[in-house]
Each structure stands twice: as C-alpha cells, then as structure tokens.
Amino acid sequence: MKSIMMLIACGLLWGSQYIFNAIALESIPALWIAALRSGIGALVLIVACYFLGLKREPGHWRLLIVIGLLEATLPFLLVAWGQQTTAAAHAAVITGMNPLLTILLAPLLLKDSEFSVKGVVCGLIGFGGLLYLFLPQLQTQSTSQFVGAAAIFIAALSFALSLILVRKLAHLHPVVVARDVIAISAVQLLPLAVLFSPLDVAQIKLEAVLASSYLGVFCGGVVYILFMQLIMSKGPAFASFSNYLVPTVGVLLSYLISDQVFDARLPVSLGIIMCAIFVYQYQGRRGSTKGSVSSALQSS
C-alpha cells in the first residue's frame, strides 16, 4: 500500500504541472521553464542529500549522463515543442503509452526481467482508462501534425528507456541517483536556454516566477525522490504507471480551479487506472515467474 500511495503522490505532483506550466508560459519561454525546473530541482535534491548525509559512489557517470538526457532533458524539450502543434488530448494519450513501452522494453534491457503477459494486460487496462477519458476530444479535434505527435512519442519512449536504465543503479541510494540525474539535466538544459532562448527579465510576471519555482521544487525535485524510490524498490514498469495518473490528475485539477462542467468520465477513468495499478501490485507480491518483470516489483 505504501508504494501505491507513493505512486499516487507522483501522479498528483506531475499532474499539477499542466496548470503551473500554463501560468509560467505567459511570460517565460518553454526552454527556460524546462531549464529552471531542472536547475531548481537539482538544488532541492542537493540540499536534501546534504542534510541526509548522502554521498555518491565513484563512477557510473556515463550511465547517469545518458539517464539525465533520456529522463529529463529530451522529454522536457520534445513535449514542450510537440505540444505547439499537437492537441492536448492527443499529447496525453501518446504520453500515456509510456507504461506499455516500459513493460515491453524491460525484458530486452534487464537481465532479470522476462516478458509478462499479465503485466501487458494491466498496462492495456490502464491505457484503456486513459483513452476512455480523452476519447471525446480525440473524436472532435482535427488530426495533429505528424511531426509534433512523433516528438511526443519519442519523449515517451525516451522516458521509458530511462526508467529501465535507472534500475541498473539499484545498488545506489535513490535520492543520490535523483540528484545526479536532475543535476546533469540542468547542466544540459541551461546552456541551451542561454544560447537559443533570449530571456527578457523585465517582461516576466511574478506569477510566472512563482509557477516556475513550484515546478522546480515539487515537479523537478521532491517528486523525483519518490519516483526513484519506486523504481529501485518496485521496478520501472510499476513506477511508469504514474504516467496514467498524470493527465487524469491534470484534468481533475483543471475542473477544481475552473467553472467547467464536471465530466462523468473522469471518475470512471480514474477507477479503471487504479484497478490496473492494484492488480499489477498484487501480481508483484504473488508473482510466481522467477525473473519476470512482475518479480522485479515485489515489495521491499
């Protein structure tokens, strides 16, 4: 149950990013929002490691650089760029493919993982719940440009690969891994922002500064502490299920702060997704296939 609560917390924190991204984008370029998110998040994680007395082991830098690129740098850039030409509903559904991609790719990249039919079924159920929520928008909106949709799919694939690679660092403390990954992402993004996205400080609104600060502290810092712990203890496939919750929570929060008519599809969608998560968690505890993806999800 603790792992499910952590997964829900990740979904809540990342689901809130849509609202704060919209506020920040009013006066801050997308590339700078991504860079600030990584930079502030890295500072939060550095401070956390300092007060916890955590130090990293030498080595692993090549793998950490790759993970930082795949988990934060590329997704931050590609999703922001792709959403300029891709409808929000399409983007949410494409991003929601991440758990399925993780479940399918894990056996190819992890020696202790095997293909799990039940894992794929749970992934399909969760994706079905997400698809059910956004189906009306998918039917009424015009088809998005292929390039933008492809960019978001590459971001989902990139994130899935990063989750699997993080598992290779399971012997390291998850907070230390989170710090190094986000710090590397900040080092990659900040120079790009300075070179390719001029920032007019005089035009920046206070609301945008506060929104960017929230994104950095909670969506770039705190959430990664929880997320890395989930990957290390429950495996990349289970942790990736948070990607079903993120767009659903985003829609729920948008209803809470606006006067939109509540969509009855939302609780049904959320129920389907939570059902898939609970079944997958149960499989992790009772899975009998040694070395399968499900066995990597057993409770710590």
Side-chain angles (χ1 to χ4, degrees):
M1 183 58 69
K2 179 182 177 182
S3 59
I4 291 179
M5 295 305 296
M6 291 172 63
L7 192 73
I8 293 173
C10 289
L12 288 171
L13 289 171
W14 269 325
S16 67
Q17 69 183 322
Y18 299 110
I19 297 172
F20 291 95
N21 264 327
I23 297 172
L25 281 168
E26 292 180 2
S27 59
I28 299 177
L31 184 53
W32 269 105
I33 292 174
L36 290 171
R37 179 172 170 177
S38 291
I40 296 172
L43 290 176
V44 170
L45 294 168
I46 289 171
V47 171
C49 287
Y50 175 79
F51 282 104
L52 292 173
L54 300 175
K55 297 182 180 180
R56 71 178 313 275
E57 297 180 10
H60 314 296
W61 278 113
R62 291 183 180 179
L63 182 56
L64 284 166
I65 290 172
V66 173
I67 293 172
L69 179 67
L70 294 175
E71 184 165 320
T73 303
L74 283 179
F76 287 174
L77 290 175
L78 291 174
V79 171
W81 183 80
Q83 281 191 305
Q84 296 179 65
T85 58
T86 306
H90 295 161
V93 171
I94 295 171
T95 303
M97 296 177 67
N98 176 268
L100 280 175
L101 291 171
T102 305
I103 291 170
L104 294 173
L105 290 173
L108 301 178
L109 299 175
L110 294 177
K111 294 181 179 180
D112 61 346
S113 295
E114 294 179 4
F115 179 77
S116 169
V117 174
K118 192 173 183 180
V120 173
V121 170
C122 289
L124 288 172
I125 291 173
F127 184 70
L130 183 66
L131 191 63
Y132 174 76
L133 175 61
F134 291 99
L135 186 60
Q137 298 177 50
L138 294 173
Q139 292 175 331
T140 58
Q141 293 175 341
S142 60
T143 304
S144 304
Q145 292 185 10
F146 174 77
V147 176
I152 295 174
F153 175 77
I154 293 173
L157 178 61
S158 173
F159 195 72
L161 289 171
S162 73
L163 303 189
I164 297 168
L165 293 178
V166 165
R167 185 70 174 177
K168 294 180 177 289
L169 299 175
H171 60 289
L172 302 178
H173 196 286
V175 180
V176 174
V177 174
R179 178 199 64 188
D180 292 346
V181 167
I182 302 303
I184 288 171
S185 175
V187 171
Q188 294 169 343
L189 283 168
L190 285 170
L192 292 177
V194 172
L195 292 173
F196 300 107
S197 186
L199 189 63
D200 188 352
V201 178
Q203 299 298 320
I204 298 176
K205 299 178 182 179
L206 176 61
E207 294 83 355
V209 174
L210 294 176
S212 295
S213 298
Y214 173 88
L215 290 170
V217 173
F218 293 100
C219 301
V222 174
V223 71
Y224 276 97
I225 297 176
L226 301 174
F227 195 62
M228 290 297 181
Q229 289 178 330
L230 275 176
I231 296 174
M232 300 303 190
S233 64
K234 306 301 293 182
F238 180 80
S240 70
F241 270 70
S242 63
N243 287 274
Y244 289 146
L245 291 172
V246 171
T248 310
V249 169
V251 172
L252 175 60
L253 292 177
S254 69
Y255 283 127
L256 295 177
I257 67 171
S258 68
D259 56 358
Q260 299 181 49
V261 178
F262 187 78
D263 189 349
R265 287 175 172 265
L266 181 59
V268 177
S269 173
L270 190 57
I272 294 172
I273 292 170
M274 291 306 301
C275 178
I277 292 172
F278 272 103
V279 171
Y280 202 62
Q281 166 71 347
Y282 178 78
Q283 176 209 10
R285 291 180 178 180
R286 297 291 300 275
S288 58
T289 305
K290 183 178 180 181
S292 67
V293 173
S294 61
S295 68
L297 309 179
Q298 292 179 353
S299 300
S300 60

